[in-house]
Amino acid sequence: MVRQVLSEDRQGLRSDDTARGDDLKSRIIKMIPGEIVAAYIACNTAITQFEGTDATYWIVFALIILLTPFYLRRIMQIKDLVQILIMCVAFILWCITLEQPFDQVFNDKNAQQLFSTLALTIFTFAVPIFYKGTEQKH
């Protein structure tokens, strides 16, 4: 699946044309950085299992967030910098919901869980409503 979000520009297209942009559902799916979150979860699980330090969690988070734009651009072939930025923010929100190492930032674990759940849910569903993607090249 192409991960670049394409706008729903239907000008000049007949009803039988297949060159259509992404609808809301497709935009939501394309902007969830699932494979990046999965890599982060795998690393966090290993750090927990082998009793890594708090610094190890932060180092892994920093490395993955730094590599994310390169991965999205080169592997997923996303050219739009706005979409890359949106997916980086989404990754950060997903990480906050996983607690470590962000449990050090929040004094109250319940507040962290509430904030992260609400922020992630609202972000995931609100951004694709406003971000329509890039223009298709015919």
Side-chain angles (χ1 to χ4, degrees), residues 88-105:
C88 287
V89 171
F91 169 69
I92 292 167
L93 292 174
W94 278 96
C95 291
I96 294 170
T97 64
L98 299 173
E99 296 179 16
Q100 291 180 331
F102 291 92
D103 55 348
Q104 299 168 19
V105 177

Side-chain angles (χ1 to χ4, degrees), residues 43-104:
C43 290
N44 265 15
T45 301
I47 295 167
T48 301
Q49 182 177 358
F50 297 108
E51 300 177 2
T53 65
D54 289 341
T56 310
Y57 289 103
W58 286 110
I59 291 167
V60 167
F61 171 75
L63 285 172
I64 292 177
I65 195 69
L66 289 172
L67 291 172
T68 294
F70 297 102
Y71 175 82
L72 294 174
R73 190 157 182 104
R74 293 184 181 171
I75 305 301
M76 295 280 100
Q77 299 179 351
I78 297 171
K79 305 298 182 210
D80 184 17
L81 294 177
V82 173
Q83 183 180 349
I84 291 171
L85 178 64
I86 289 169
M87 293 180 76
C88 287
V89 171
F91 169 69
I92 292 167
L93 292 174
W94 278 96
C95 291
I96 294 170
T97 64
L98 299 173
E99 296 179 16
Q100 291 180 331
F102 291 92
D103 55 348
Q104 299 168 19

